[in-house]
Amino acid sequence: MKHTKIIEVLKSDKLALPVVVKGWVRSFRNDRFIALNDGSTIKNIQCVIEDDIVDQTTKNSISIGAAITVDGVLVESQGKGQRVEIKITGINIEGNADSEELKLTILSPKRHSLEKLREQAHLRIRTNTFGAIMRVRSKLSFAIHEYFQKNDFYYVHTPVITGSDAEGAGEAFKITNMDLNDVPKDENGEVDYSKDFFGRETNLTVSGQLEAETYAMGLGQVYTFGPTFRAENSNTSRHLSEFWMIEPEVAFCDLDGNMDLAEDFIKYVIKYALDNCQDDLEFLENRLVQEDKQKPQAERAEMLLRDKLKFVLENNFKRVSYTEAIEILKNSKPNKKKKFKYPINEWGADLQSEHERFLVEKHFKCPVILFDYPAKIKAFYMRLNEDGNTVRAMDILFPGIGEIVGGSQREERLDVLQEKMKALDIAEEDLWWYLDTRRFGTCAHSGFGLGFERLVLFVTGMSNIRDVIPYPRTPLNAEF
Ligand code: 4AD
Ligand code: MG
């Protein structure tokens, strides 16, 4: 008989009928009650051993963490806490687990810290917390595709290996298959990349934007959703060296259209999670409530997790120009009292996460879209405004996270773009194909990048980005 997923069994009304389930033992009480979980839902099914159906040797193997198959009959539950349970008719042990050893890694009466669990990233998925996070992550990915597909965007697979550093920040991981102990050099003693695999310098992509732009110029509306890589040495709770990014790009669209798209998109996927991840979000919400009890009153969350998500849905994102934001920050209490690590003295300053979080959490108390940034602190491809000083950039800032989206209207005017590249020392030869899009049917177009893990952080209420991706890559850490 084929086994049934526990999520289905829990909904089933096929009482008195045989059922088979497979999963991992979460607990085993009184030599009788097994709580079994198969990952399909955060909920366990209770399986009850009656009389002497199961011999003592088998019972001894029903330890926490063991994989088992349960044959039984679905019955109405006698106990509290569940509607149905399984009366066991047979058990097969698929894989034993040493519970004592598991206690040292992922299971213990007193829960292990999230830091400890990161060292056990291959086993942490057996905990309720990580099960919930990763199910939500999966549902959010689906919602992202659904949103764009419903709105007539085409999914473009931009290359992972590329010769361009889209952001021009020099934070790309180089790729080579040269023998690092015997690197070919040219007559100037420089590394001779013409002898490398691709006959040129290449790196892992930091963003699919430039390639997505070329496709928007033919397909109209496109999006990418793939891994991106950054060799920035940022050891923070918001940065990964490998993260997933969603990048829509739209032809015949200006910055206002771009902001509308971003807001509508984010609200859609958050609503999807609220509608489709109820059990997991409820669990994560309670987890936060418990965590908050350990904190001083002032540091506790003002809203429950799901209320916070609903708040985002029900309120417009506040749209504020960079110039207005600088005025607010200049006159803010923390700035005057020298509480910012990077004080804001003048227009042109780059905003740090402390400033972004002040604006969102203390001042506006809602998601904020900042736009029209100084050209100097933004990438070369952003459209220059009439003032000659600012560009049509936008960042979306979220409470507890800071920047979650970065985007812009693109510079579609060939001459302006060339001038900009020259000023920044970006060689035209390297981006000839990008410049071609401005030669052959250029048009106003815009796009943005949403850091997927930052979205998952927000939706799950977790506080460290390493806990919302299965195998985090960060400086000095690429285990598994
Ligand atoms: O602001 P960024 O660097 O923008 C771009 O890459 C543009 N090319 C996107 C575009 O317009 N198509 O990155 C976009 C978003 C950030 O807002 C942030 O959410 C996320 O990507 N991000 C990171 N997430 C995790 N770890 C990192 N190291 C990140 N760097 C950026
Ligand atoms: Mg950015």
Side-chain angles (χ1 to χ4, degrees):
M1 193 176 156
K2 204 182 154 344
H3 69 280
T4 310
K5 289 280 164 224
I6 289 172
I7 192 171
E8 296 305 325
V9 175
L10 289 172
K11 285 188 267 186
S12 169
D13 48 15
K14 292 182 183 152
L15 295 177
L17 291 176
V19 62
V20 182
V21 289
K22 291 173 186 277
W24 295 272
V25 176
R26 280 296 171 85
S27 68
F28 186 33
R29 281 188 296 123
N30 304 344
D31 254 15
R32 259 193 93 191
F33 300 103
I34 305 172
L36 196 68
N37 189 280
D38 67 358
S40 61
T41 160
I42 193 150
K43 294 190 173 142
N44 304 324
I45 181 97
Q46 171 156 285
C47 307
V48 189
I49 301 174
E50 276 179 7
D51 312 322
D52 43 7
I53 290 281
V54 179
D55 61 68
Q56 195 56 44
T57 334
T58 308
K59 277 186 187 171
N60 292 344
S61 295
I62 307 173
S63 58
I64 292 174
I68 65 172
T69 297
V70 170
D71 285 84
V73 177
L74 193 66
V75 295
E76 218 172 289
S77 179
Q78 304 301 306
K80 266 193 266 165
Q82 64 273 321
R83 193 176 58 88
V84 291
E85 62 189 24
I86 294 174
K87 196 170 119 186
I88 296 178
T89 52
I91 286 189
N92 187 36
I93 310 290
E94 306 277 342
N96 288 306
D98 181 338
S99 295
E100 289 309 307
E101 205 183 320
L102 270 185
K103 272 187 194 160
L104 298 174
T105 54
I106 58 159
L107 305 165
S108 84
K110 203 175 168 306
R111 301 224 172 273
H112 286 299
S113 68
L114 295 168
E115 287 83 358
K116 172 87 183 160
L117 291 178
R118 267 172 235 149
E119 294 166 13
Q120 302 291 330
H122 61 307
L123 291 176
R124 67 179 179 171
I125 192 57
R126 298 276 191 93
T127 64
N128 279 332
T129 301
F130 284 89
I133 295 168
M134 295 307 161
R135 276 187 296 269
V136 171
R137 184 181 164 107
S138 170
K139 293 282 181 197
L140 282 171
S141 310
F142 178 77
I144 286 162
H145 284 293
E146 186 175 83
Y147 177 83
F148 287 118
Q149 296 289 335
K150 271 190 182 165
N151 286 289
D152 301 319
F153 283 67
Y154 291 103
Y155 181 26
V156 175
H157 299 102
T158 51
V160 171
I161 300 175
T162 161
S164 74
D165 169 5
E167 295 303 294
E171 288 167 342
F173 286 99
K174 291 189 166 55
I175 293 179
T176 182
N177 76 336
M178 296 193 286
D179 177 356
L180 293 183
N181 291 312
D182 185 18
V183 176
K185 301 269 174 75
D186 62 17
E187 56 270 27
N188 302 324
E190 313 252 334
V191 177
D192 185 358
Y193 285 103
S194 71
K195 304 251 162 56
D196 204 350
F197 189 88
F198 294 107
R200 57 168 298 161
E201 267 193 86
T202 50
N203 51 264
L204 292 176
T205 186
V206 295
S207 157
Q209 179 197 320
L210 303 193
E211 291 91 348
E213 275 186 58
T214 65
Y215 264 65
M217 290 297 145
L219 292 177
Q221 304 193 109
V222 300
Y223 70 105
T224 71
F225 184 2
T228 49
F229 309 85
R230 299 206 181 169
E232 56 187 325
N233 204 359
S234 303
N235 244 316
T236 79
S237 57
R238 305 280 176 268
H239 289 87
L240 290 164
S241 311
E242 175 180 297
F243 65 97
W244 287 64
M245 186 155 50
I246 297 100
E247 297 183 275
E249 194 67 37
V250 185
F252 308 107
C253 176
D254 63 10
L255 191 69
D256 288 326
N258 202 26
M259 293 196 253
D260 293 342
L261 173 67
E263 184 168 343
D264 190 52
F265 162 60
I266 293 175
K267 286 179 172 172
Y268 182 91
V269 296
I270 290 179
K271 178 158 192 321
Y272 187 94
L274 275 168
D275 292 345
N276 292 278
C277 307
Q278 288 157 9
D279 293 345
D280 289 321
L281 289 179
E282 183 184 349
F283 172 84
L284 291 165
E285 179 172 290
N286 290 333
R287 190 194 151 268
L288 284 177
V289 170
Q290 294 309 319
E291 199 179 77
D292 264 7
K293 285 187 185 156
Q294 321 293 320
K295 292 184 188 164
Q297 194 76 41
E299 284 171 35
R300 294 183 189 169
E302 284 169 24
M303 272 186 227
L304 292 172
L305 178 64
R306 284 172 296 179
D307 290 339
K308 183 187 80 172
L309 299 178
K310 284 182 203 142
F311 179 85
V312 170
L313 298 188
E314 288 159 6
N315 290 278
N316 292 334
F317 294 6
K318 180 87 187 155
R319 301 182 187 193
V320 185
S321 75
Y322 167 91
T323 305
E324 285 172 75
I326 284 290
E327 281 310 307
I328 293 167
L329 288 167
K330 253 206 279 193
N331 299 319
S332 70
K333 247 196 206 160
N335 200 50
K336 288 185 169 159
K337 292 193 167 169
K338 307 216 175 336
K339 288 274 163 62
F340 285 141
K341 194 167 159 221
Y342 299 91
I344 297 285
N345 298 318
E346 57 192 57
W347 192 92
D350 203 353
L351 299 185
Q352 306 296 326
S353 110
E354 57 180 349
H355 308 129
E356 297 175 340
R357 294 186 62 172
F358 172 83
L359 289 170
V360 176
E361 287 158 31
K362 297 282 179 320
H363 191 83
F364 291 110
K365 295 181 188 291
C366 72
V368 172
I369 311 184
L370 288 188
F371 62 91
D372 284 350
Y373 280 75
K376 279 210 180 97
I377 57 171
K378 289 290 183 186
F380 75 95
Y381 49 71
M382 298 187 180
R383 193 180 199 283
L384 195 63
N385 277 312
E386 302 307 317
D387 63 16
N389 275 326
T390 58
V391 284
R392 301 247 75 190
M394 65 127 178
D395 276 6
I396 302 185
L397 315 178
F398 258 50
I401 310 276
E403 179 190 337
I404 192 165
V405 161
S408 69
Q409 183 170 336
R410 318 306 188 188
E411 184 54 77
E412 85 283 11
R413 297 162 297 186
L414 180 64
D415 53 336
V416 184
L417 187 58
Q418 282 170 319
E419 225 167 277
K420 192 77 169 287
M421 286 170 63
K422 206 160 144 195
L424 289 170
D425 230 6
I426 303 172
E428 285 197 20
E429 303 88 84
D430 290 349
L431 287 178
W432 63 272
W433 51 273
Y434 186 68
L435 289 168
D436 264 0
T437 57
R438 274 66 173 172
R439 288 194 179 96
F440 305 110
T442 192
C443 70
H445 63 289
S446 302
F448 63 84
L450 169 79
F452 184 48
E453 284 73 21
R454 293 196 184 169
L455 174 72
V456 182
L457 265 184
F458 184 74
V459 174
T460 58
M462 299 301 290
S463 47
N464 194 310
I465 200 162
R466 294 167 174 85
D467 296 328
V468 299
I469 187 165
Y471 292 103
R473 271 78 181 92
T474 50
L476 300 179
N477 174 32
E479 187 67 36
F480 308 102

